[in-house]
Amino acid sequence: MSQASKNRLKASEYVDGLLSRDRSILSKAITLVESKLEKDQKLADEVINRTIAYSGKSIRIGITGSPGVGKSTFIEHFGLLLVEKGKRVAVLTIDPSSVTSKGSILGDKTRMENLTKKEEVFIRPSPSSQTLGGVGAKTRESILLCEAAGYDVVLVETVGVGQSEIMVTEMVDFFLLLVLPNSGDELQGVKRGVMEMADAIIVTKADRNQLSEAIISKKELDHTVKLMKNPNKPWSTEVMLVSAIEQKGLSDVWDVIQRYENQMKAQGFFDSNREEQRVSWFYAHIQQALEARFYHDKEVKERLEEQMEEVKKGNSSPLVVARNLVESFLKKQ
């Protein structure tokens, strides 16, 4: 029995708990939506449907960067700053799932010890569950639940950085890319698309020992982003220096995010972007629903087992086998 099943409540209890800003109920609700049991999924759908009208009032911020760039340190100090400004902050961190054990580290709470202690803060580590894009399979739903529970700012930390990380831009309003000083070689490995999507690039660890290197990196990035303006967004990427440890530059980051929100709302981009994200979410669920029906079909399972060896040995074309399986499945519907 799943953990969600053991703690399953009625839909009304989840909804009432969320609207009363009960962190324990919020945690249980996210566990429910992450469950893969069909019974849990149906209940989760009802909870989401009944709370979606209370969502949408936060600013959603995606944060990505290579391992070691200091994402957790940045999030902790940035989150503390937001709390000082009277904000309620939800942090959704995504941990990489093991391909072998399907488990994940889920250690971000220990890396954000001071932030975790704040009553105004909710931190939820979730496994990526092999989902591409650096986010969890149910990150969108988790964002809506956090908003229904009254959180003003939702921070979504991705697994790492890469071309697939741009998926997080389909569920947030503002996208932050964190890079290290002297990261020229590192940035060569970052796909152009990620940098184009970034609304702000933060050179982290701009401390006393690395300040000169950070300044040089900022100048290089300022030049680079001028050549990569996103034609689909009326905004020029900001490049900033931040030392989370020394708490320098954090207020500037928040100022930029607020300026972005005000400017995008005034131009109508903010709302239209969210509309496009909801459409993307809609199509993603169609794909998930179709895949679930396909792979749970008894005949498909049997034929998959029978023909997989032929595909592995190269005796049959993967394309032909896949097409035949899909066509056979669709004829039964």
Side-chain angles (χ1 to χ4, degrees):
M1 182 181 293
S2 73
Q3 189 65 33
S5 298
K6 293 178 183 178
N7 299 310
R8 189 187 291 121
L9 306 173
K10 294 179 181 178
S12 59
E13 292 176 306
Y14 284 110
V15 175
D16 291 343
L18 289 168
L19 298 183
S20 63
R21 301 188 172 187
D22 187 321
R23 286 197 299 181
S24 174
I25 296 296
L26 174 56
S27 183
K28 289 180 180 179
I30 293 178
T31 298
L32 179 73
V33 300
E34 289 178 344
S35 171
K36 295 182 180 179
L37 295 180
E38 185 176 352
K39 189 173 183 179
D40 290 339
Q41 290 176 352
K42 289 182 178 179
L43 180 57
D45 289 345
E46 183 180 355
V47 172
I48 291 292
N49 208 40
R50 290 173 64 173
T51 55
I52 196 167
Y54 301 97
S55 66
K57 297 180 178 66
S58 80
I59 178 73
R60 306 164 183 172
I61 304 169
I63 301 172
T64 193
S66 300
V69 76
K71 284 180 291 186
S72 294
T73 303
F74 171 80
I75 290 172
E76 174 163 47
H77 290 281
F78 187 57
L80 290 171
L81 171 73
L82 295 177
V83 170
E84 288 178 5
K85 293 181 177 293
K87 303 296 182 182
R88 300 183 76 242
V89 182
V91 183
L92 301 176
T93 67
I94 313 301
D95 277 348
S97 300
S98 166
V99 176
T100 305
S101 68
K102 310 304 181 186
S104 60
I105 302 169
L106 302 180
D108 281 286
K109 280 195 173 184
T110 61
R111 295 198 293 270
M112 304 178 192
E113 185 177 357
N114 293 324
L115 192 60
T116 304
K117 297 174 182 177
K118 296 293 183 180
E119 285 293 323
E120 304 90 342
V121 175
F122 174 80
I123 300 178
R124 174 69 183 213
S126 295
S128 63
S129 300
Q130 307 307 308
T131 303
L132 295 177
V135 291
K138 298 294 183 179
T139 300
R140 290 183 179 92
E141 289 86 344
S142 298
I143 290 173
L144 296 182
L145 292 172
C146 289
E147 291 177 337
Y151 288 93
D152 308 301
V153 182
V154 179
L155 306 178
V156 182
E157 177 193 4
T158 71
V159 172
V161 64
Q163 184 66 26
S164 64
E165 242 64 18
I166 63 175
M167 185 178 290
V168 75
T169 65
E170 295 181 359
M171 56 187 74
V172 299
D173 306 309
F174 192 91
F175 185 38
L176 277 173
L177 170 62
L178 274 55
V179 300
L180 288 166
N182 277 331
S183 55
D185 292 338
E186 174 195 341
L187 289 175
Q188 293 300 318
V190 175
K191 299 294 184 180
R192 180 184 176 94
V194 180
M195 295 189 67
E196 286 179 332
M197 292 293 180
D199 298 304
I201 300 175
I202 293 178
V203 181
T204 63
K205 303 183 180 181
D207 313 317
R208 294 176 182 175
N209 294 336
Q210 300 185 80
L211 184 56
S212 58
E213 291 90 341
I215 292 173
I216 293 172
S217 295
K218 180 182 182 303
K219 289 180 180 178
E220 293 173 349
L221 286 166
D222 279 328
H223 176 71
T224 301
V225 298
K226 287 179 182 177
L227 304 176
M228 296 195 311
K229 183 175 176 61
N230 186 346
N232 300 318
K233 181 180 291 188
W235 175 261
S236 298
T237 303
E238 296 269 355
V239 182
M240 314 178 73
L241 297 177
V242 168
S243 170
I245 295 296
E246 296 179 357
Q247 299 184 36
K248 293 180 179 178
L250 295 171
S251 291
D252 295 334
V253 174
W254 180 237
D255 289 343
V256 166
I257 292 172
Q258 288 183 299
R259 177 158 54 84
Y260 171 91
E261 182 180 8
N262 292 334
Q263 183 177 325
M264 294 302 100
K265 284 183 175 179
Q267 297 186 25
F269 180 85
F270 192 91
D271 291 335
S272 64
N273 185 53
R274 284 203 173 180
E275 288 176 1
E276 290 180 8
Q277 290 177 345
R278 284 190 284 271
V279 171
S280 176
W281 187 23
F282 170 73
Y283 281 115
H285 275 279
I286 289 179
Q287 181 177 338
Q288 291 169 15
L290 289 173
E291 287 183 356
R293 287 282 296 276
F294 178 78
Y295 286 114
H296 284 87
D297 183 83
K298 184 178 180 182
E299 183 179 324
V300 169
K301 286 182 178 180
E302 292 175 353
R303 292 187 63 188
L304 272 174
E305 292 180 6
E306 293 172 359
Q307 299 184 33
M308 191 56 67
E309 285 303 314
E310 294 298 304
V311 171
K312 287 180 179 178
K313 294 176 182 177
N315 296 331
S316 299
S317 163
L319 175 63
V320 173
V321 172
R323 180 177 290 128
N324 289 341
L325 277 172
V326 171
E327 289 178 353
S328 176
F329 170 75
L330 292 176
K331 286 178 181 177
K332 300 192 309 177
Q333 303 307 305

